[in-house]
Amino acid sequence: MKIACVQMNIEFGEPIKNFAAVKHYIEEAAKNGSDTIVLPEMWNTGYALTELNRIADENGERTKQFLQELAYQHRVNIVGGSVATKRSERFYNTMYVVERGGSVTSEYDKAHLFKLMDEHLYMEPGQKLNRFQLDGVECAGVICYDLRFPEWIRTHVLQGAKVVFVPAEWPKKRIDHWQLLLQARAIENQCYIVAVNRVGNDPDNEFNGHSMIIGPWGELLVTNEEEEGIFYAEIDMKEVEDVRQRIPVFADRREELYSLKK
């Protein structure tokens, strides 16, 4: 599977400009032979939370149609990062995954809302897992702050995920945490982690990318890129099976010890 990470600047509160930029990047990545294209978090609006009533995507309809058309036209899978959506007068941070035939194969609302960026004041948390298949590969997707909850990632992997996608708007001031947590999640779950962060600035934060593709041994296949652009890597699911056979972490788990109930 050839992955393309779209590390882009996001225009604050400007969906029209952001849709145009994403279209350009998807077309470029498809032209370069990508199987799966991954976008960052909240790429339609950025964290313009006070403007959501005006700019959030109603029921995600515009985003879904947009991604479906591009996926079908270019025969690529698109992990649609996430976008601000509005449903029944409430707002969500929503990921849409579209397979190469143009069908939406997964919809996920961010489960853990980030209080330091006031997300909890404007948005509703998701209530379900995000597992899906791309070209027969078991995958999962979480969003940004979800990364700090290892039990959430492990839950997806225990249900079969071999690749975990992590779109984000992770600020520069905590970028060291980003890399450490991503590598830890890859190593402890013996899976690929595909993490796409934005670049640029909004009124309150600076973002410096460092999108990463990390192998199941914790090796960095893509990292430390700070400029805007597309970054590529090929991943092989045989590597996941090899690591899990060499160090049988999942077979050695002792679930009877892990419950917090007394």
Side-chain angles (χ1 to χ4, degrees):
M1 181 182 289
K2 185 176 181 180
I3 307 287
C5 299
V6 176
Q7 182 167 286
M8 60 179 282
N9 184 30
I10 298 169
E11 296 290 341
F12 189 76
E14 297 285 353
I16 293 175
K17 293 181 180 179
N18 292 321
F19 272 87
V22 165
K23 183 175 187 292
H24 165 77
Y25 278 123
I26 289 175
E27 290 174 343
E28 181 180 342
K31 188 184 301 183
N32 287 329
S34 300
D35 297 307
T36 301
I37 302 168
V38 191
L39 305 175
E41 180 186 20
M42 294 279 280
W43 60 259
N44 65 334
T45 63
Y47 268 80
L49 300 180
T50 61
E51 301 178 48
L52 289 179
N53 196 53
R54 177 179 63 85
I55 59 178
D57 189 357
E58 189 83 33
N59 296 316
E61 292 302 326
R62 179 181 183 185
T63 303
K64 286 186 282 187
Q65 181 178 356
F66 173 78
L67 296 178
Q68 286 178 286
E69 289 176 354
L70 287 168
Y72 181 79
Q73 178 183 352
H74 298 289
R75 291 296 190 267
V76 294
N77 303 309
I78 302 175
V79 179
S82 75
V83 293
T85 61
K86 181 181 181 181
R87 303 196 302 271
S88 300
E89 301 305 315
R90 295 187 176 188
F91 303 106
Y92 298 85
N93 185 338
T94 306
M95 176 191 294
Y96 297 110
V97 180
V98 182
E99 53 81 33
R100 64 177 73 246
S103 297
V104 176
T105 188
S106 181
E107 300 183 17
Y108 169 74
D109 298 321
K110 187 177 183 179
H112 303 88
L113 301 180
F114 191 47
K115 293 180 180 179
L116 289 185
M117 292 172 71
D118 290 337
E119 204 170 16
H120 67 300
L121 299 178
Y122 297 93
M123 292 182 150
E124 301 295 322
Q127 303 294 331
K128 63 179 183 178
L129 293 171
N130 186 27
R131 290 183 52 244
F132 50 92
Q133 285 192 353
L134 293 176
D135 297 334
V137 176
E138 291 288 341
C139 302
V142 299
I143 300 172
C144 201
Y145 188 46
D146 285 333
L147 177 64
R148 289 187 181 270
F149 298 87
E151 61 271 42
W152 190 231
I153 312 296
R154 174 57 61 89
T155 299
H156 287 80
V157 175
L158 287 174
Q159 295 198 26
K162 295 181 179 179
V163 183
V164 178
F165 295 94
V166 189
E169 288 202 33
W170 198 283
K172 179 179 179 180
K173 59 182 141 183
R174 290 184 293 277
I175 203 66
D176 289 345
H177 292 187
W178 168 251
Q179 177 166 340
L180 290 168
L181 290 167
L182 289 169
Q183 285 187 278
R185 298 295 90 86
I187 294 167
E188 69 197 8
N189 290 297
Q190 300 177 317
C191 67
Y192 283 99
I193 298 286
V194 179
V196 178
N197 194 29
R198 66 164 292 186
V199 294
N201 300 280
D202 69 17
D204 299 310
N205 298 282
E206 180 181 0
F207 304 93
N208 65 334
H210 287 72
S211 297
M212 298 185 183
I213 299 178
I214 304 172
W217 282 117
E219 70 274 26
L220 298 169
L221 306 178
V222 169
T223 187
N224 294 328
E225 303 287 355
E226 296 192 1
E227 69 272 18
E228 185 169 9
I230 307 174
F231 305 101
Y232 302 90
E234 292 197 42
I235 62 176
D236 184 353
M237 293 307 108
K238 293 180 182 178
E239 291 292 323
V240 175
E241 298 303 328
D242 180 59
V243 171
R244 292 180 179 181
Q245 288 177 9
R246 292 193 187 193
I247 305 179
V249 167
F250 294 98
D252 293 339
R253 294 176 71 249
R254 297 186 61 193
E255 293 186 58
E256 72 276 10
L257 300 181
Y258 304 155
S259 175
L260 297 177
K261 298 179 181 179
K262 295 184 179 180

